[in-house]
Amino acid sequence: MTAEQCRTAGGIGVTATDIDGLLLITPRPRRDDRGWFSRTYCAVDYAALGLDHPLVQENQSRSRRGVIRGLHVRADLDEAKFVRVVRGSLFDVVVDLRPRSRTFLQVRTFELNDEDPRHLRVPPGCAHGFQALSAEVDVLYGVDVPYNPVKDVTLAWNDPLLGIRWPLPGPILSERDREAPSVSALRPRFDDWFGGYGPAPGSS
Ligand SMILES: Cc1cn([C@H]2C[C@H](O)[C@@H](COP(=O)(O)OP(=O)(O)O[C@H]3O[C@@H](C)C(=O)[C@@H](O)[C@H]3O)O2)c(=O)[nH]c1=O
């Protein structure tokens, strides 16, 4: 990952990646003899950083070692997701599905854990998934639109086209994720879902 830009507001740092809208968010904890204190979300700081999406829902999942969740994406350009690990460690994956993005179908991976307080902002039009590396992992993720099961799409975690090198063998999966379609099977829908991203075809 190439860090292209870093900015800060309040106690929060944001580093852009080479996938447009995919951000690494680094809270700066205030440490003292008791331990530390950190804002995990602040509407004012986020707005100052250009992240003016109010969170409308926060979710928590617990996964045991080896579990893979994903790859999931909302079938429109409405949802950004803020992901952080509050217990344990995981291997996190983001795939750009926006046909007009210069990083279309590229994969980026991160290790997130409860020691290093990095959060990820996953932009609309990018699929997200992870594999639990520790005995148990608790993930919190906030979204800026309400959940809509009709729009909740899953893509095959093991699609050779993506070539994701998941760290642990024999993953534990939900039935939905086990039966997820390939990228090629869903590709005809991407223009409808994510075609609104980026410059119009033919424009310079
Ligand atoms: C996401 C969600 C799920 N559910 C329900 C649906 C289902 O019965 C149960 C578990 O949902 P899932 O199996 O989809 O959970 P999970 O596989 O953990 O889904 C999550 O995966 C990670 C990778 C993401 O990025 C998230 O956006 C989300 O898609 O909870 C809700 O009621 N509200 C919600 O907001």
Side-chain angles (χ1 to χ4, degrees):
M1 185 197 74
T2 309
E4 292 178 338
Q5 196 185 351
C6 186
R7 50 194 202 276
T8 57
I12 300 172
V14 168
T15 304
T17 73
D18 62 341
I19 291 191
D20 188 31
L22 174 61
L23 306 175
L24 267 174
I25 299 170
T26 317
R28 307 264 157 81
R30 290 167 191 258
R31 298 175 194 278
D32 62 26
D33 290 345
R34 297 167 298 176
W36 53 265
F37 169 88
S38 179
R39 290 183 202 174
T40 54
Y41 172 76
C42 172
V44 172
D45 292 346
Y46 271 39
L49 292 163
L51 304 172
D52 49 356
H53 296 285
L55 297 185
V56 301
Q57 188 176 320
E58 186 174 64
N59 307 312
Q60 178 167 3
S61 64
R62 177 165 298 172
S63 305
R64 55 201 171 94
R65 182 178 155 85
V67 164
I68 291 178
R69 295 179 186 254
L71 305 162
H72 298 161
V73 67
R74 183 176 157 117
D76 58 27
L77 288 172
D78 286 351
E79 181 188 79
K81 202 178 291 177
F82 294 87
V83 181
R84 62 199 169 96
V85 171
V86 292
R87 193 165 67 101
S89 66
L90 59 74
F91 173 79
D92 201 279
V93 177
V94 176
V95 185
D96 190 349
L97 301 178
R98 301 164 296 186
R100 290 200 226 128
S101 169
R102 64 193 158 76
T103 50
F104 180 52
L105 293 186
Q106 291 190 27
V107 176
R108 296 292 178 271
T109 63
F110 305 85
E111 189 177 329
L112 303 180
N113 59 60
D114 59 14
E115 294 289 330
D116 174 7
R118 297 188 307 169
H119 306 180
L120 272 187
R121 186 234 184 211
V122 181
C126 287
H128 175 245
F130 61 82
Q131 183 168 43
L133 300 179
S134 53
E136 278 195 336
V137 183
D138 280 4
V139 179
L140 282 185
Y141 57 98
V143 289
D144 55 1
V145 288
Y147 175 60
N148 180 350
V150 173
K151 297 223 170 199
D152 194 8
V153 172
T154 180
L155 281 92
W157 62 280
N158 55 354
D159 190 328
L161 184 74
L162 300 175
I164 299 167
R165 296 158 69 103
W166 298 96
L168 301 178
I172 303 157
L173 298 150
S174 70
E175 189 180 343
R176 176 171 88 111
D177 289 345
R178 236 185 347 263
E179 293 169 3
S182 66
V183 170
S184 307
L186 289 175
R187 174 66 186 91
R189 317 287 301 277
F190 289 174
D191 293 308
D192 280 351
W193 294 343
F194 314 125
Y197 167 86
S203 68
S204 55

